[in-house]
Amino acid sequence: MQQRPHLYVAITNHGFGHATRTAAVLAELNRLRPDVRFTVATQVPRWLLASYFGGEFEQRPVAFDVGVVQSDSLQIDRTATWERLQRLRQNQDSLIEQEAAYLRQEQVQLVLADIPPLAIAIAAKAQVPCWMMGNFGWDFIYADWGQPFADTVDWIRHLYKDCDRLFRLPFHEPMQSFPVQEAVGLTGGSPQFSEQDLRQQFDLSADAKTVLLTFGGLGLQQFPYDTLNAFPDWQFLCFDRQAPDLPNLRTILDPLYRPVDFMPLCDWVFCKPGYGTFSEACRVQAPIASLTRAGFAEAELLLQGLQAIAPHAILSPEACVAGDWSVLKDPPQPPLQALPWQQDGNRQIAEAIAEALN
């Protein structure tokens, strides 16, 4: 019996965006090559992966990187991040050996990673190529944090330099640590329900202004839901299980639905800077109202890109918490240029993997 081609996918546990954009690529690959076996190595919730990737997969709940320790989508704990990074480095040898043994035993042919550096060392130990996808590396994030992280940045760059191929997503930093780069288009999920069905299911008026509130897997601790009282004729959507019961707020609890499914209905996607949300909103041409995000180097690149290519508004977290949402009542600021990227990043990456697994 012929062995099924086996892809091992290592995804950072930081937030939800890395997982959803990778799962969208896997969904396209599964469509092209239904014979592929998928192992997904991450600790993000299985339901999240399944909501973007409808195929069968094995999940290995391991952690290959730390990302950024946060109490919510905007609050960063650098000390806790540094401490966890030191523990990861102390334990890296056993982790590399453990996962490389799995790759050999299960005859994995290719590793795809978004974007934990140790995935490269694991693949090398098992003598398997490692491809990556991303718009930033963790070296870029930590380098912005100064001297305490300098040794960690060097460690990460030493690992990244052995990456066999990087699919560089839009809204990217230079990613100079990666020797082989290939630019691809926007990635992410596509809406899977008709606007009519969503309006009927969630009692949404076609005449009312509609705003999607989406702040990633960590949410916002201080989100001022009482501000919705100043918009009585508008309708708001969110996925926050802690949200209050308000007449103009629909809280989506069924994991069958994702933020991208509602974006075509919306006058605004109100969010924090994040590749996944920006990319999916751009793919359906929904205006984006974004908070700024201090201490996260990627945010500046995202906001610059947003202003260049999408209808937008930008406000500070302080204005948001204070309930100053006046920008939502104004028309979006027009982009400075037409969308410079194709919208078929999922297909580009999936086709390359499908060919490699032949």
Side-chain angles (χ1 to χ4, degrees), residues 224-245:
Y225 282 105
D226 54 353
T227 306
L228 272 62
N229 296 324
F231 298 83
D233 299 326
W234 292 34
Q235 52 199 6
F236 293 82
L237 308 168
C238 78
F239 287 77
D240 179 6
R241 292 182 175 273
Q242 312 304 318
D245 185 11

Side-chain angles (χ1 to χ4, degrees), residues 212-223:
L212 172 63
L213 308 172
T214 177
F215 294 95
L218 295 168
L220 290 183
Q221 287 182 348
Q222 294 180 289
F223 193 77

